[in-house]
C-alpha cells in the first residue's frame, strides 16, 4: 500500500506504519521525547535533532483554515481534477493539508467543522481526506 | 573602511516563449550587453555565479558549467546556486559574499531558465515537485494552489477582494507594455482580469505569472574597481535572507510570508533605511496575492491593507511606493533562475535614471524582493545610487 494519489518515494518504516494505522482509521503522528514537539504527518526525526520519537494518535476533527479548488492540476493528477484542497487545524492544533469531499466550492467555508477520514484511492493507494462533520 | 559593493554592468535577454534559443544562447544574450555596459570583457571578470533553478526544464544537467563555458569563462572559478524561484537573488547574494570575502573583485552573475519547451502541464508538474514530495505533492497541490490557499485565507481574514487581486495584474500589465524585455506587452482591463479562466480558485489566469524563457546578467565589483570602471555604480547597501517550513501546513500564518518579514528586517537594518525611504521596488508577484502580501510584509503598508494599497494606486508611479515598474513576474515573465537577476537589473536601471517611460523620477533608493517557492526562501536586497 502506498500513500497519496501520486508518489514515488520509497516506503520507509515510518510511512508503512502510518499507512497501516490509517487503514484502521487511526491518524497517527510522532512526538519527540526530548522536546515534546508534535508532528502530523509524522517524522522519523525531530527538528531539535533528536531521533527519539514516539507515536501518538491525533484527533480526527477540526476546522478548515483555507482551501482552493484546483482546476488545472499537475500532469500526473489530470484524472482526478478538479479537486478541492484544504488546510485544516485539528482539535489539538496540528495542521494537515488534504482533499475535502462532500462539499462544493459554494458550500465550503473557512472555519467549517470537518472530520478526517481514511480513503482508498485505488486498491493499493490510501490517503486521509476531510469531510464535513454531521 | 569597509569596501562597498556595487553593480557595474547589467544585461537582459528578451523574456518570452523563445523557440529561437536554448539556455546557452539566452545566457549569451544577457551577458554580452552586461559586459558592454560595464565596458569590460570576460578577462576582467574574476569569477561567475550561475543561477538555474531546474535541470529538467532545459533537459540539461549541470547547466552552470554549460553556460560558464559558453560565455567564455573557461578556467575561471564558478559555482551554480539554486533557490527555486529566488535562484537569481541567491546568486547576487553569493557573488556579493565572494567579493566581501576577498576571493574576487569582480563577479558575473547569470540567471537563466528555459521553461516553455516542456509545455504547461509538465511545467506545472515540475514546479509541484518542488513542494514536499512525501506529504503535500501526493495530493496534487500545485504552485498556484499553494498561493490560492493563501489568497483564500487573506480574503477571509482581511476582506481582500477579487477586484483588488486583479488590480495588481492590471498595474503590472500596464508597466509591462513599457518594458521591451517583457514577455507580455499588452494591457489588460480590470473586467477582463476579473473574469479570466479559473486556475486554482480564487486565483485565475490573470493572477498567475507566466511560464517563460529568459536570462539576465549582472556584474558586481568592489568599491575600488567599481569606481574605476563605472561612472554610475549602484551600491548594494543591504541584504537580508530568511527561510520557512517546507510544508505549508506547518506555517504559523497563511496570510503572510514570515521569510519576507525576517529578510526585510535584516536588509533594512543593514542599509540603515526604513520602508518609507524606498523610492522604487520590485517585489515577487508570482501571483497577485503574493504582491499584496509583499506590500504588507515589506512594511509598505499595514498588515491586511495590501488590497487597499493597490486600490488606492499607491504602488503606481506617482503613488506612495511604486512597485514592479518592469511589469513584474506577471507581465515580464518568470524564468525561475533569471528572475532575481532581472530584478537587480531593473532597480539598477531605475537608480541610474535609465528606465525611460517607466522611470520613477529621482529614485535614489531601491529594493528587490525575491521569494523561492511559497516562502521557503526569501531574499531582499536594498540599493542606493
Ligand atoms: Zn525534539
Amino acid at each position: 500500500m502506498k500513500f497519496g494519489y501520486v508518489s514515488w518515494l520509497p516506503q520507509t518504516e515510518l510511512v508503512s506504519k502510518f499507512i497501516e494505522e490509517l487503514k484502521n482509521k487511526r491518524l497517527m503522528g510522532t512526538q519527540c521525547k526530548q522536546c515534546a514537539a508534535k508532528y502530523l504527518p509524522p517524522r522519523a526525526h525531530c527538528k531539535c535533532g533528536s531521533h527519539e520519537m514516539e507515536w501518538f494518535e491525533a484527533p480526527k476533527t477540526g476546522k478548515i483554515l483555507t482551501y482552493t479548488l484546483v482546476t488545472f492540476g499537475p500532469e500526473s493528477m489530470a484524472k482526478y481534477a478538479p479537486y478541492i484542497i484544504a488546510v485544516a487545524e485539528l482539535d489539538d492544533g496540528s495542521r494537515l493539508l488534504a482533499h475535502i469531499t462532500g462539499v462544493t466550492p459554494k458550500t465550503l467555508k473557512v472555519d467549517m467543522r470537518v472530520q478526517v477520514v481514511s480513503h482508498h484511492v485505488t486498491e493499493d493507494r490510501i490517503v486521509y481526506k476531510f469531510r464535513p462533520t454531521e | 573602511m569597509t569596501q562597498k559593493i556595487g553593480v557595474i554592468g547589467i544585461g537582459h535577454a528578451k523574456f518570452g516563449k523563445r523557440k529561437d534559443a536554448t539556455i546557452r544562447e539566452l545566457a549569451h544574450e544577457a551577458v554580452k550587453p552586461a559586459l558592454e555596459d560595464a565596458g569590460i570583457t570576460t578577462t576582467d571578470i574574476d569569477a561567475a555565479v550561475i543561477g538555474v533553478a531546474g535541470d529538467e526544464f532545459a533537459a540539461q544537467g549541470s547547466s552552470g558549467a554549460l553556460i560558464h563555458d559558453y560565455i567564455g569563462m573557461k578556467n575561471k572559478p564558478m559555482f551554480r546556486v539554486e533557490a527555486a524561484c529566488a535562484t537569481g537573488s541567491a546568486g547576487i547574494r553569493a557573488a556579493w559574499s565572494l567579493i566581501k570575502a576577498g576571493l574576487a573583485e569582480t563577479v558575473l552573475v547569470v540567471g537563466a531558465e528555459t521553461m516553455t519547451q516542456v509545455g504547461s502541464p509538465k511545467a506545472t508538474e515540475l514546479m509541484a515537485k518542488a513542494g514536499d514530495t512525501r506529504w503535500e505533492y501526493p495530493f496534487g497541490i500545485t504552485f498556484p494552489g499553494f498561493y490560492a490557499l493563501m489568497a483564500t485565507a487573506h480574503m477571509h481574514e482581511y476582506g481582500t477582494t477579487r477586484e483588488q487581486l486583479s488590480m495588481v495584474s492590471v498595474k503590472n500589465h500596464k508597466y509591462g507594455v513599457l518594458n521591451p524585455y517583457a514577455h507580455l506587452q499588452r494591457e489588460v482591463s480590470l473586467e477582463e482580469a476579473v473574469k479570466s479562466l479559473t486556475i486554482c480558485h480564487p486565483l485565475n489566469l490573470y493572477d498567475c505569472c507566466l511560464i517563460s524563457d529568459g536570462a539576465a546578467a549582472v556584474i558586481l565589483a568592489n568599491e575600488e574597481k567599481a569606481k574605476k570602471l563605472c561612472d554610475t555604480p549602484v551600491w548594494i547597501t543591504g541584504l537580508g535572507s530568511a527561510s520557512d517550513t517546507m510544508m505549508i501546513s506547518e506555517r504559523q500564518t497563511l496570510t503572510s510570508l514570515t521569510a519576507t518579514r525576517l529578510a526585510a528586517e535584516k536588509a533594512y537594518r543593514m542599509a540603515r533605511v526604513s520602508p518609507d525611504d524606498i523610492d522604487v521596488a520590485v517585489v515577487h508577484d508570482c501571483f497577485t496575492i503574493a504582491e499584496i502580501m509583499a506590500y504588507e510584509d515589506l512594511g509598505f503598508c499595514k498588515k491586511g491593507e495590501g488590497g487597499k494599497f493597490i486600490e488606492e494606486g499607491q504602488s503606481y508611479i506617482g503613488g506612495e511606493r511604486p512597485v514592479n515598474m518592469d511589469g513584474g513576474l506577471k507581465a515580464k515573465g518568470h524564468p525561475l533562475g533569471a528572475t532575481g537577476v532581472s530584478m537587480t537589473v531593473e532597480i539598477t536601471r531605475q537608480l541610474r535614471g535609465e528606465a525611460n517611460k517607466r522611470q520613477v523620477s529621482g529614485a535614489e533608493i531601491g529594493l528587490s524582493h525575491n521569494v523561492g517557492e511559497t516562502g521557503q526562501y526569501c531574499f531582499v536586497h536594498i540599493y542606493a545610487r
Side-chain angles (χ1 to χ4, degrees):
Chain A
M1 185 76 73
K2 296 177 193 137
F3 180 80
Y5 291 86
V6 284
S7 60
W8 65 88
L9 293 183
Q11 206 91 317
T12 60
E13 206 184 307
L14 177 100
V15 177
S16 300
K17 158 90 173 158
F18 178 80
I19 289 171
E20 276 313 303
E21 297 285 357
L22 192 62
K23 273 161 55 181
N24 294 319
K25 302 187 167 64
R26 278 192 297 271
L27 186 64
M28 302 297 287
T30 54
Q31 181 167 25
C32 175
K33 288 187 193 173
Q34 298 284 341
C35 75
K38 286 169 118 182
Y39 298 100
L40 181 76
R43 290 169 52 112
H45 308 97
C46 181
K47 291 187 180 183
C48 80
S50 162
H51 60 269
E52 289 178 59
M53 308 292 279
E54 58 189 354
W55 291 93
F56 73 92
E57 187 172 356
K60 292 204 292 176
T61 49
K63 59 171 189 178
I64 294 297
L65 293 178
T66 188
Y67 59 89
T68 177
L69 170 68
V70 178
T71 315
F72 293 95
E75 201 175 35
S76 60
M77 286 290 287
K79 65 176 168 190
Y80 298 108
Y83 43 89
I84 304 174
I85 290 180
V87 176
E89 184 169 278
L90 306 188
D91 293 338
D92 69 347
S94 321
R95 291 176 172 194
L96 213 50
L97 176 145
H99 287 195
I100 179 166
T101 59
V103 291
T104 67
K106 284 205 160 60
T107 59
L108 184 54
K109 295 271 180 297
V110 170
D111 291 334
M112 177 185 262
R113 294 288 301 169
V114 290
Q115 52 181 326
V116 184
V117 297
S118 306
H119 171 63
H120 287 267
V121 180
T122 57
E123 259 176 27
D124 65 341
R125 288 192 166 274
I126 193 168
V127 291
Y128 40 78
K129 68 171 183 178
F130 306 124
R131 260 201 335 229
T133 44
E134 281 114 40
Chain B
M1 199 198 98
T2 55
Q3 283 226 5
K4 292 194 284 188
I5 291 163
V7 179
I8 62 162
I10 52 173
H12 207 292
K14 171 86 171 82
F15 283 8
K17 198 169 175 155
R18 294 290 306 267
K19 284 193 171 146
D20 60 316
T22 67
I23 200 162
R24 64 185 81 188
E25 289 89 10
L26 288 172
H28 169 85
E29 195 180 314
V31 169
K32 188 168 187 283
L35 289 166
E36 286 168 0
D37 180 43
I40 59 176
T41 65
T42 48
T43 27
D44 303 302
I45 304 279
D46 295 334
V49 177
I50 298 180
V52 179
D55 286 336
E56 282 172 296
F57 288 112
Q60 165 71 52
S62 267
S63 330
L66 176 91
I67 290 171
H68 190 68
D69 179 44
Y70 194 76
I71 60 176
M73 289 283 286
K74 183 183 72 175
N75 296 147
K76 299 204 183 206
M78 175 275 292
F79 57 82
R80 171 180 159 186
V81 294
E82 185 276 318
C85 325
T87 293
S89 291
I92 300 282
R93 185 176 167 93
W96 190 95
S97 310
L98 281 176
I99 296 172
K100 197 70 183 172
L103 288 172
E105 290 190 301
T106 51
V107 179
L108 169 67
V109 186
V110 187
E113 208 83 46
T114 49
M115 302 175 72
T116 67
Q117 69 187 40
V118 297
S120 288
K122 182 73 179 167
T124 306
E125 176 81 32
L126 291 176
M127 284 189 280
K129 281 180 176 169
D132 187 294
T133 46
R134 176 67 81 193
W135 300 114
E136 294 195 336
Y137 169 85
F139 289 98
I141 182 76
T142 62
F143 198 51
F146 278 122
Y147 277 92
L149 291 172
M150 297 189 230
T152 300
H154 204 278
M155 291 165 103
H156 175 78
E157 194 164 334
Y158 300 113
T160 304
T161 66
R162 170 65 268 167
E163 284 71 23
Q164 288 169 338
L165 292 176
S166 292
M167 283 170 189
V168 171
S169 186
V170 169
K171 171 180 72 71
N172 292 351
H173 278 92
K174 174 189 158 86
Y175 289 116
V177 172
L178 306 177
N179 180 357
Y181 300 99
H183 184 162
L184 255 195
Q185 277 150 337
R186 184 172 76 78
E187 291 205 26
V188 55
S189 71
L190 183 61
E191 196 192 354
E192 194 184 350
V194 166
K195 287 186 177 161
S196 70
L197 181 73
T198 302
I199 302 292
C200 283
H201 176 84
L203 300 181
N204 65 32
L205 189 63
Y206 281 105
D207 290 311
C208 304
C209 65
L210 301 163
I211 291 173
S212 312
D213 307 320
V218 158
I219 300 165
L220 298 186
N222 66 15
E223 187 168 0
E224 199 186 320
K225 280 268 178 176
K227 284 182 172 163
K228 203 161 91 187
L229 294 169
C230 183
D231 295 331
T232 53
V234 165
W235 307 108
I236 300 182
T237 56
L239 299 98
S241 176
S243 58
D244 209 341
T245 63
M246 189 65 181
M247 285 200 295
I248 200 167
S249 61
E250 277 197 278
R251 301 279 170 86
Q252 289 311 300
T253 170
L254 292 167
T255 54
S256 166
L257 293 184
T258 304
T260 295
R261 285 194 292 104
L262 297 174
E265 231 170 73
K266 289 179 199 170
Y268 287 135
R269 200 183 317 130
M270 180 173 165
R272 298 202 170 100
V273 297
S274 76
D276 292 344
D277 298 316
I278 305 300
D279 298 315
V280 58
V282 285
V283 310
H284 198 86
D285 63 319
C286 49
F287 299 94
T288 50
I289 185 62
E291 181 162 326
I292 285 178
M293 290 194 299
Y295 298 154
E296 301 170 359
D297 294 336
L298 293 167
F300 296 171
C301 65
K302 283 194 200 127
K303 190 69 217 160
E305 294 185 0
K308 196 175 116 196
F309 196 76
I310 179 69
E311 189 162 2
E312 290 174 354
Q314 302 293 7
S315 47
Y316 276 82
I317 290 176
E320 216 171 89
R321 206 80 53 220
V323 171
N324 288 341
M325 272 53 260
D326 59 356
L329 280 55
K330 179 68 209 80
K332 182 182 63 177
H334 180 28
L336 309 177
T339 289
V341 183
S342 163
M343 287 176 162
T344 298
V345 168
E346 174 64 11
I347 292 297
T348 302
R349 278 196 216 288
Q350 288 283 347
L351 299 195
R352 283 181 184 173
E354 293 173 356
N356 300 320
K357 283 183 181 163
R358 58 182 203 280
Q359 178 67 43
V360 174
S361 73
E364 288 184 4
I365 297 178
L367 176 149
S368 66
H369 162 253
N370 196 187
V371 176
E373 297 185 52
T374 51
Q376 283 86 339
Y377 308 86
C378 182
F379 299 89
V380 175
H381 306 328
I382 293 171
Y383 311 75
R385 273 207 301 224

